[in-house]
Amino acid sequence: MASSKRPRLAVWKFASCDGCQLSLLDCEDELLAVADAIDIAYFMEATRGKISGRYALSLVEGSITTAHDAERIKEVRRRSDVLITIGACATAGGIQALRNFADVKEYTSIVYARPDYISTLATSTPIADHVRVDFELRGCPISKQQLLEVVSAFLARRKPVTPAHSVCVECKLRGNVCVMVAHGTPCLGPVTHAGCGALCPAYDRGCYGCFGPMETPNAPSLSGWLAGLGMDKRSISRVYSTFNTDAEPFREEKERHGT
């Protein structure tokens, strides 16, 4: 039986692939320690059981893509003391936000045999566009270490400590050779929020921007570097058209070089 003395945790899914929820399950031994300090009252990815009522902490994965979900997130907010969004979908609309630059009706008419059965919004938007969010945890998927830090900070009633610097700093800490300077490989590392440990550059690949824009990124400057590597405007636009395409700095660069 759940202890009434422990805070209740709820994990909610909206339009997403479930990858960020799986990051929580991937915590394994650490998750057991969390479970000793908090009641996991609602988490459909892990259990069919649920406890109704209010939740001390809600983790929300996914973007808002339907009118039904736009109403459902308001109910989640009403029932949550603290609401934290996790992942690129919840914080920036996700890769599905590519619909924001296209005609959704045209897509549905091509993909679905009966498009009249499809009920969806024209846009995919982050949770913060609809309700107040207490903290955003970025990534596609999120870092399980950062997730544990956020939950631990909640239990300790302090502000989470997550990095605000770019992936370039992670590269330097790891001793990576810069793939742009050494190999001419396009890389979003200079404008991307840290959190992955510079995984892709460590294997001589450019950063894809999975963790979204860092604080105060200079994306126009990076675009100038990418042009210097021989990329045309269409190619530069596509670089910003991935997991965090509707995050403001990435969206502006995408639109500046053509959608």
Side-chain angles (χ1 to χ4, degrees):
M1 176 177 288
S3 169
S4 60
K5 296 181 180 179
R6 293 188 297 186
R8 290 176 170 180
L9 168 70
V11 183
W12 308 90
K13 172 184 166 59
F14 288 81
S16 62
C17 71
D18 288 27
C20 292
Q21 294 183 73
L22 291 175
S23 293
L24 177 57
L25 293 177
D26 192 41
C27 290
E28 299 176 340
D29 292 343
E30 296 93 337
L31 182 59
L32 295 177
V34 169
D36 284 339
I38 199 167
D39 285 332
I40 302 178
Y42 182 85
F43 188 6
M44 296 303 288
E45 186 77 24
T47 176
R48 290 180 295 176
K50 63 180 179 179
I51 301 172
S52 59
R54 290 195 61 79
Y55 303 99
L57 173 62
S58 278
L59 302 177
V60 180
E61 177 194 73
S63 64
I64 303 301
T65 59
T66 68
H68 173 263
D69 280 349
E71 290 302 313
R72 188 163 70 97
I73 190 58
K74 294 176 183 177
E75 176 63 19
V76 171
R77 176 70 269 186
R78 281 192 292 268
R79 295 173 61 185
S80 306
D81 296 335
V82 174
L83 189 151
I84 295 174
T85 50
I86 58 173
C89 295
T91 61
I95 199 166
Q96 59 268 32
L98 287 169
R99 72 165 68 181
N100 302 357
F101 307 93
D103 184 345
V104 173
K105 289 185 177 179
E106 181 183 3
Y107 280 172
T108 55
S109 67
I110 294 172
V111 174
Y112 298 97
R114 291 295 304 270
D116 50 309
Y117 287 174
I118 306 301
S119 177
T120 186
L121 299 174
T123 58
S124 172
T125 48
I127 301 300
D129 280 12
H130 300 267
V131 297
R132 176 176 57 84
V133 171
D134 297 295
F135 189 81
E136 293 184 329
L137 186 62
R138 298 177 182 146
C140 187
I142 56 173
S143 157
K144 70 176 185 179
Q145 287 80 16
Q146 288 189 8
L147 177 61
L148 288 169
E149 161 60 19
V150 167
V151 174
S152 298
F154 165 77
L155 292 171
R157 298 184 180 182
R158 61 173 174 80
K159 183 179 179 180
V161 180
T162 56
H165 52 256
S166 71
V167 171
C168 286
V169 175
E170 292 188 307
C171 270
K172 293 181 186 301
L173 291 172
R174 191 164 177 167
N176 292 341
V177 173
C178 179
V179 296
M180 280 220 301
V181 174
H183 310 302
T185 302
C187 179
L188 288 179
V191 298
T192 297
H193 200 283
C196 66
L199 179 63
C200 288
Y203 290 92
D204 291 329
R205 297 183 300 175
C207 170
Y208 292 92
C210 300
F211 276 69
M214 61 170 289
E215 291 187 7
T216 64
N218 191 346
S221 176
L222 175 62
S223 297
W225 273 87
L226 297 177
L229 294 176
M231 297 181 69
D232 58 22
K233 284 193 171 185
R234 178 177 174 82
S235 297
I236 294 174
S237 177
R238 288 178 63 86
V239 163
Y240 295 101
S241 303
T242 55
F243 316 100
N244 292 277
T245 189
D246 207 35
E248 185 175 353
F250 287 4
R251 181 180 69 247
E252 289 178 351
E253 279 306 288
K254 172 182 171 60
E255 292 177 335
R256 193 164 72 90
H257 292 84
T259 59

